[in-house]
Amino acid sequence: MEHGPGAWTRRELLETAAFVGAGAALATGVGGSAMAAEAPSAKAPAYRGEHEIRPLPFDPAKLKGLSEKLLVSHHDNNYAGAVKRLNQIQQQLGSLPADSPPYQTGSLKREELLAANSKLLHERYFGNLGGAGPCEGVVATLLQAEYGSLEAWERDFRQTAQALGGGSGWVIVSYEPTSRSLHNWWAWDHMHQPMGGDPVLVLDMYEHAYAIDYGANAKGYIDAFFANVLWSEVNRRVDDARKRLAT
Amino acid sequence: MEHGPGAWTRRELLETAAFVGAGAALATGVGGSAMAAEAPSAKAPAYRGEHEIRPLPFDPAKLKGLSEKLLVSHHDNNYAGAVKRLNQIQQQLGSLPADSPPYQTGSLKREELLAANSKLLHERYFGNLGGAGPCEGVVATLLQAEYGSLEAWERDFRQTAQALGGGSGWVIVSYEPTSRSLHNWWAWDHMHQPMGGDPVLVLDMYEHAYAIDYGANAKGYIDAFFANVLWSEVNRRVDDARKRLAT
Amino acid sequence: MEHGPGAWTRRELLETAAFVGAGAALATGVGGSAMAAEAPSAKAPAYRGEHEIRPLPFDPAKLKGLSEKLLVSHHDNNYAGAVKRLNQIQQQLGSLPADSPPYQTGSLKREELLAANSKLLHERYFGNLGGAGPCEGVVATLLQAEYGSLEAWERDFRQTAQALGGGSGWVIVSYEPTSRSLHNWWAWDHMHQPMGGDPVLVLDMYEHAYAIDYGANAKGYIDAFFANVLWSEVNRRVDDARKRLAT
Amino acid sequence: MEHGPGAWTRRELLETAAFVGAGAALATGVGGSAMAAEAPSAKAPAYRGEHEIRPLPFDPAKLKGLSEKLLVSHHDNNYAGAVKRLNQIQQQLGSLPADSPPYQTGSLKREELLAANSKLLHERYFGNLGGAGPCEGVVATLLQAEYGSLEAWERDFRQTAQALGGGSGWVIVSYEPTSRSLHNWWAWDHMHQPMGGDPVLVLDMYEHAYAIDYGANAKGYIDAFFANVLWSEVNRRVDDARKRLAT
């Protein structure tokens, strides 16, 4: 259920209160030894590592030009692996000694960014598959406005994708809240992102997204991707993103 | 003025209509040669390169522990340089021949991401300076909820910052719309970002942000940063970000 | 044929003389307009882009656990593609206007590094395949010396490789001339390398090196890699590298 | 004292024998428990972390346009910090449990590459300072051969350097043993390197190399760099590198 801007959800209020309460109790040392006083941080959401694996939102046997074997491997190994790794990493961050050298925090924070973005990007990727053309609605209007025509947009998008062939990366169509526009972005790995944008259409160009079916034929994969885009979901994401004000 | 989710602003409607109209006219070839038919793309917003340099939102002579010389150099050289470069890059992208090799598009799209994120991150950075402690409001509540205590949050933030000392990068506190939480992220350069998050507090750890005043003393700079945070702006950004629904 | 340190090969002398001669003639303006005076740079070796594709040094039908289809695709698409791209990039660098913005040089120099290293790494990779265990000779002695035992070395190597699974990168055993030792290095993409070291054993962890045969099963691929290492070639490379003096 | 290619130094033989002997004894379980049997790895050179900080090879008060304050800070903080960090990282790698997740090895191996390359690059950098022009000798001949003229080489080098201004990175002139040529390379951070090349002239473009003296004026710093190059050392490195055979 929707709630207005500025309101807290009931769940937010309960969780925040419970957690802050627990922390406060420990911070004042109620019944706590020095070791107990450190406990909150390990139990803090930042370090809990309780992210859950979402199932594929479509029947992997039914996509055009992308095999069930490929899609299930992509989901079960690459996506699910990132979620499990993210949980391990965040728990490890929560158990770092206070005097550990900065490079240790830094190296784990890098792994965290890598795994967290991989998780979220894969969820968007699977979420924008399972449909069929054509591009329409607000998305079509905004892409046309930004690139002059849908053809010009698609050429820019495909060229960026091809440039990532044979390596790792993503092509990201992001809604930028300040300019209220959609734009194509190049990303070298999971960690590259347009700042503050909301990715509404993402194309995974890691080779695990296509090599099982297409080998080195990135172009064949990009064609298959376009044949399966769920434009209604892309439109839903843009509608959602547009609820933010420009800053 | 605010407008409800799903509505278009008057400006959006006018601009989109005008632009799509222009494109349509050319696409149907009205009065156009082949060369004219290609014109829209170069004039499309994606390739216009008309981003503007914003002035510093505070008096650079008045910050604590960060000199006017440093702040003005940071703004006039690093930030303004990124905006100018972004404009050049986008115009160059718009003039690429249709048959240019993918690596050329890719390499320019990388430069675009680098310059665009540098622009936006710097605007957020300067925007969250000019104040003074303490951390309070929704931001304090959310950080406490995520990390157990403000002290635990600050320790994590400072360790991440220290790990970036002597190089390039950012520490980014981002509002994540799905979990409705704030989290610290490590970023190696302008291109690294938490996916889909909204950076509400950013710390520039590029050496140009401090070397003029602090040399290699990253810690001294991080202390100065904390002394100048404009928490009211950080709270404003969180309020803004929270208007989005979880997806 | 070998020639002693410090000597020039006949070919080196001839080529250098011819080229410098040509340059000098133009530099003194003999018969040259301003445009002619710029010609040398485009014809300079740095910008010629005449790198050649080497054939696979083994029969791709005969490796254990790595299919001919995979190996031929890896060679013909990924390796050969890098060589062709390198040639294009260097020629483009040679035709940049003198007043082009630095980001343009920088972005092409990045593509050059990516393609050049990809070329060389792939040549080393294919070159260290086609054999069978066990690790022996100077290589075994040096690895044992560096890691305590061959088992300890292999564990470190395999862990590093596994960490790159599902993405891009290389594991590089490099001869370091100062310490006269062999060491395992992690590389995120073609551009990461140990400084000044001589890669004597390299493992391609880009997914194109295994996904066609192993899908996401990086471990299965690493096992296959070990079953095919041509240790005599690795030993030959170490012998070659050891001819340098420590600096 | 020099020794011929293929020969072992006395020190190499002694160290290798002693170390392998120790390992062998433990491996056969002489007097050893299971825990003792694991001891060698932590004591293996790979994990010893005993790298030493070298002093500046010149009097930092005597360089042209680079202040003593800058050079001493660069050496004592950035370079020495990398050496210390490298030692910590390698020791930590040596104490990782055998069942630690691959990402943990990977993240530390990344830190190791970063610190090890930073150490070596800085040693080359300080080592190629302390002199004065002009470029001459074999280096001049090879640069002229590769780029057509020294002016063309310098333009390429300076453009690459400018492209790295305001961030991190290196410009690396590397001797490539296969082509027996010198070439300019772009490097985004310490981890980027030309494969298998021998860096004979390196320019540190991290902002800590100049911001104290030049602020954001990268060009001023590049000019100062050229005024201080120790070309005799660059020539010495090329002579050393040329002792290797082409492979």
Side-chain angles (χ1 to χ4, degrees):
Chain A
M1 204 190 85
E2 192 176 329
H3 57 281
W8 291 78
T9 61
R10 183 180 169 76
R11 183 170 149 268
E12 277 178 318
L13 283 172
L14 287 175
E15 287 196 350
T16 303
F19 190 77
V20 173
L26 283 162
T28 53
V30 178
S33 66
M35 287 190 64
E38 288 181 15
S41 90
K43 284 184 188 157
Y47 307 124
R48 263 185 213 154
E50 295 181 342
H51 301 278
E52 288 177 16
I53 296 164
R54 296 187 188 179
L56 279 174
F58 52 76
D59 179 346
K62 302 230 167 122
L63 265 57
K64 294 168 284 295
L66 298 172
S67 72
E68 181 171 10
K69 182 183 169 191
L70 170 74
L71 292 163
V72 169
S73 172
H74 195 173
H75 177 275
D76 291 2
N77 294 303
N78 304 104
Y79 163 64
V83 180
K84 289 176 204 162
R85 218 163 55 237
L86 175 59
N87 289 339
Q88 287 182 292
I89 295 161
Q90 292 188 329
Q91 289 166 7
Q92 196 180 346
L93 274 163
S95 66
L96 279 185
D99 63 345
S100 59
Y103 77 76
Q104 201 173 357
T105 300
S107 69
L108 287 173
K109 294 293 287 183
R110 178 182 177 274
E111 297 292 328
E112 185 192 29
L113 178 66
L114 186 68
N117 278 11
S118 175
K119 173 186 179 290
L120 292 169
L121 280 164
H122 277 108
E123 287 167 1
R124 296 268 169 127
Y125 173 71
F126 294 129
N128 61 214
L129 290 181
C135 174
E136 59 191 3
V138 175
V139 170
T141 306
L142 289 175
L143 290 175
Q144 208 172 5
E146 178 75 0
Y147 285 91
S149 69
L150 283 177
E151 293 68 31
W153 163 73
E154 191 175 321
R155 190 166 55 233
D156 185 287
F157 184 96
R158 282 176 176 269
Q159 284 274 101
T160 306
Q162 288 278 3
L164 291 164
S168 295
W170 293 81
V171 186
I172 297 169
V173 179
S174 177
Y175 182 82
E176 219 292 302
T178 307
S179 58
R180 294 168 185 275
S181 60
L182 293 177
H183 196 82
N184 296 334
W185 299 98
W186 168 101
W188 190 238
D189 58 27
H190 302 311
M191 297 180 287
H192 288 66
Q193 298 289 327
M195 197 218 86
D198 204 332
V200 297
L201 176 68
V202 298
L203 167 59
D204 191 345
M205 287 303 298
Y206 273 63
E207 294 172 302
H208 58 241
Y210 61 92
I212 288 176
D213 283 358
Y214 289 92
N217 178 15
K219 187 186 173 303
Y221 163 63
I222 299 166
D223 289 343
F225 172 78
F226 270 101
N228 288 286
V229 173
L230 186 63
W231 291 105
S232 60
E233 168 65 8
V234 183
N235 271 295
R236 195 196 61 73
R237 292 172 184 172
V238 171
D239 285 341
D240 185 49
R242 290 181 62 246
K243 287 168 189 158
R244 284 203 295 182
L245 291 182
T247 51
Chain B
M1 206 191 84
E2 192 175 329
H3 57 281
W8 290 78
T9 60
R10 184 179 168 75
R11 184 170 149 267
E12 276 178 320
L13 283 172
L14 287 174
E15 287 196 348
T16 303
F19 190 77
V20 173
L26 282 161
T28 54
V30 176
S33 66
M35 285 190 64
E38 287 179 16
S41 90
K43 286 183 187 158
Y47 307 123
R48 262 185 216 156
E50 295 180 343
H51 302 278
E52 288 176 16
I53 297 164
R54 297 186 188 179
L56 278 175
F58 51 76
D59 179 346
K62 302 234 169 118
L63 264 58
K64 294 167 285 294
L66 299 171
S67 72
E68 182 171 9
K69 182 183 169 192
L70 171 74
L71 293 163
V72 170
S73 171
H74 195 175
H75 177 275
D76 291 2
N77 293 303
N78 304 104
Y79 163 64
V83 180
K84 289 176 204 163
R85 218 164 54 237
L86 175 60
N87 289 340
Q88 287 182 291
I89 295 161
Q90 292 188 330
Q91 288 165 8
Q92 196 180 346
L93 275 163
S95 66
L96 278 185
D99 63 346
S100 59
Y103 77 77
Q104 202 172 356
T105 301
S107 68
L108 287 173
K109 293 292 287 183
R110 177 181 178 275
E111 296 293 328
E112 185 192 28
L113 179 65
L114 187 68
N117 278 10
S118 174
K119 173 187 180 290
L120 292 169
L121 280 164
H122 278 108
E123 287 168 1
R124 295 268 168 128
Y125 173 71
F126 294 130
N128 60 213
L129 289 180
C135 173
E136 59 191 4
V138 175
V139 170
T141 306
L142 289 175
L143 289 175
Q144 208 172 5
E146 178 74 0
Y147 286 91
S149 69
L150 283 177
E151 291 70 30
W153 163 72
E154 191 175 320
R155 190 166 57 232
D156 186 288
F157 185 95
R158 282 176 175 269
Q159 283 274 103
T160 305
Q162 288 278 2
L164 291 164
S168 295
W170 294 81
V171 186
I172 297 168
V173 179
S174 178
Y175 183 82
E176 218 293 302
T178 308
S179 59
R180 295 167 183 276
S181 60
L182 292 178
H183 197 83
N184 296 333
W185 298 100
W186 167 101
W188 190 238
D189 57 28
H190 302 311
M191 297 180 286
H192 289 66
Q193 298 290 329
M195 197 218 87
D198 204 332
V200 297
L201 175 68
V202 299
L203 166 59
D204 191 345
M205 287 302 300
Y206 273 62
E207 293 173 304
H208 57 242
Y210 61 92
I212 289 176
D213 284 356
Y214 288 93
N217 179 14
K219 189 185 172 303
Y221 163 63
I222 299 166
D223 289 343
F225 172 78
F226 270 101
N228 289 286
V229 173
L230 186 62
W231 290 105
S232 59
E233 168 65 8
V234 183
N235 270 295
R236 195 196 62 71
R237 292 173 184 172
V238 171
D239 285 341
D240 185 49
R242 289 181 63 245
K243 287 168 188 156
R244 284 204 295 181
L245 291 182
T247 50
Chain C
M1 207 190 83
E2 192 175 330
H3 57 281
W8 289 80
T9 60
R10 185 179 167 75
R11 184 171 148 267
E12 276 178 319
L13 283 171
L14 287 175
E15 287 197 348
T16 303
F19 191 76
V20 173
L26 283 162
T28 54
V30 178
S33 66
M35 286 191 64
E38 288 180 15
S41 90
K43 284 183 188 157
Y47 308 123
R48 262 184 216 156
E50 295 180 343
H51 301 278
E52 288 176 16
I53 297 165
R54 297 187 188 180
L56 278 175
F58 51 76
D59 180 347
K62 301 234 168 117
L63 264 57
K64 295 167 285 293
L66 297 172
S67 72
E68 183 171 10
K69 183 184 168 192
L70 170 73
L71 292 162
V72 170
S73 171
H74 195 174
H75 176 275
D76 291 2
N77 294 303
N78 304 103
Y79 163 64
V83 180
K84 289 177 205 162
R85 217 163 55 236
L86 175 60
N87 289 340
Q88 287 182 291
I89 295 161
Q90 292 188 330
Q91 289 166 6
Q92 196 181 347
L93 275 163
S95 66
L96 279 185
D99 63 346
S100 59
Y103 77 78
Q104 201 173 356
T105 301
S107 68
L108 287 173
K109 293 292 288 183
R110 177 182 177 274
E111 296 292 328
E112 185 193 28
L113 179 66
L114 187 68
N117 278 10
S118 175
K119 173 186 179 290
L120 292 169
L121 280 164
H122 277 107
E123 287 168 1
R124 296 268 169 128
Y125 173 71
F126 294 130
N128 61 214
L129 290 180
C135 173
E136 58 192 2
V138 174
V139 170
T141 306
L142 289 176
L143 290 175
Q144 208 172 6
E146 178 75 0
Y147 286 92
S149 68
L150 283 176
E151 292 69 31
W153 163 72
E154 191 175 320
R155 189 167 56 234
D156 186 288
F157 184 96
R158 282 176 176 270
Q159 283 273 103
T160 306
Q162 288 277 2
L164 291 164
S168 296
W170 294 81
V171 186
I172 297 168
V173 179
S174 177
Y175 182 82
E176 217 293 301
T178 308
S179 60
R180 296 168 183 276
S181 61
L182 292 177
H183 197 83
N184 296 333
W185 299 99
W186 168 101
W188 189 239
D189 57 27
H190 302 311
M191 296 180 287
H192 288 66
Q193 298 290 328
M195 196 218 87
D198 204 332
V200 296
L201 176 68
V202 298
L203 167 59
D204 191 346
M205 288 302 299
Y206 273 62
E207 293 172 303
H208 58 242
Y210 61 91
I212 288 176
D213 284 358
Y214 289 93
N217 178 15
K219 188 185 173 304
Y221 163 64
I222 298 165
D223 289 343
F225 172 78
F226 270 101
N228 289 286
V229 173
L230 186 62
W231 291 105
S232 59
E233 168 65 8
V234 183
N235 271 295
R236 194 195 64 71
R237 292 172 185 173
V238 171
D239 285 341
D240 184 48
R242 290 181 62 246
K243 288 168 188 155
R244 283 204 295 180
L245 292 181
T247 50
Chain D
M1 203 190 84
E2 192 176 328
H3 58 280
W8 290 79
T9 60
R10 183 179 168 76
R11 183 170 150 268
E12 277 179 319
L13 283 172
L14 287 175
E15 287 196 349
T16 303
F19 190 79
V20 173
L26 283 161
T28 53
V30 178
S33 66
M35 287 191 63
E38 288 181 16
S41 91
K43 285 183 188 157
Y47 307 124
R48 262 184 215 155
E50 295 181 343
H51 301 278
E52 289 177 15
I53 297 164
R54 296 187 188 179
L56 279 176
F58 51 76
D59 179 347
K62 303 232 169 121
L63 265 57
K64 294 167 285 294
L66 298 171
S67 72
E68 182 171 10
K69 182 183 169 192
L70 171 74
L71 292 163
V72 170
S73 172
H74 195 174
H75 177 275
D76 291 2
N77 294 303
N78 303 105
Y79 163 64
V83 180
K84 289 177 204 162
R85 218 164 55 237
L86 176 59
N87 289 340
Q88 285 182 292
I89 294 161
Q90 292 189 328
Q91 289 166 6
Q92 196 181 346
L93 275 163
S95 66
L96 277 185
D99 63 346
S100 59
Y103 76 77
Q104 201 173 356
T105 300
S107 68
L108 287 173
K109 294 292 287 185
R110 177 182 178 275
E111 296 292 330
E112 185 192 29
L113 179 65
L114 186 69
N117 278 11
S118 174
K119 173 186 180 290
L120 292 169
L121 281 164
H122 277 107
E123 287 168 1
R124 296 269 169 127
Y125 174 71
F126 294 130
N128 61 215
L129 290 180
C135 173
E136 59 191 4
V138 175
V139 170
T141 306
L142 289 175
L143 290 175
Q144 209 172 5
E146 177 75 1
Y147 285 91
S149 68
L150 283 176
E151 292 69 31
W153 163 72
E154 191 175 321
R155 190 167 55 234
D156 186 287
F157 185 95
R158 281 176 176 271
Q159 283 274 101
T160 306
Q162 288 279 3
L164 291 163
S168 296
W170 293 81
V171 186
I172 297 169
V173 179
S174 177
Y175 182 82
E176 219 293 301
T178 308
S179 59
R180 294 168 185 275
S181 60
L182 293 177
H183 196 83
N184 296 335
W185 298 99
W186 167 101
W188 190 238
D189 57 28
H190 302 311
M191 296 180 287
H192 289 66
Q193 298 290 328
M195 196 217 87
D198 205 333
V200 297
L201 176 68
V202 298
L203 167 58
D204 191 346
M205 288 302 300
Y206 274 62
E207 293 172 304
H208 57 241
Y210 60 93
I212 289 176
D213 284 357
Y214 289 92
N217 178 14
K219 188 184 173 304
Y221 163 63
I222 299 166
D223 288 343
F225 172 78
F226 270 101
N228 288 286
V229 173
L230 186 62
W231 291 105
S232 59
E233 167 66 7
V234 183
N235 271 295
R236 194 196 63 72
R237 292 172 184 172
V238 171
D239 285 341
D240 184 49
R242 289 182 62 245
K243 287 168 188 156
R244 284 203 295 182
L245 291 182
T247 50

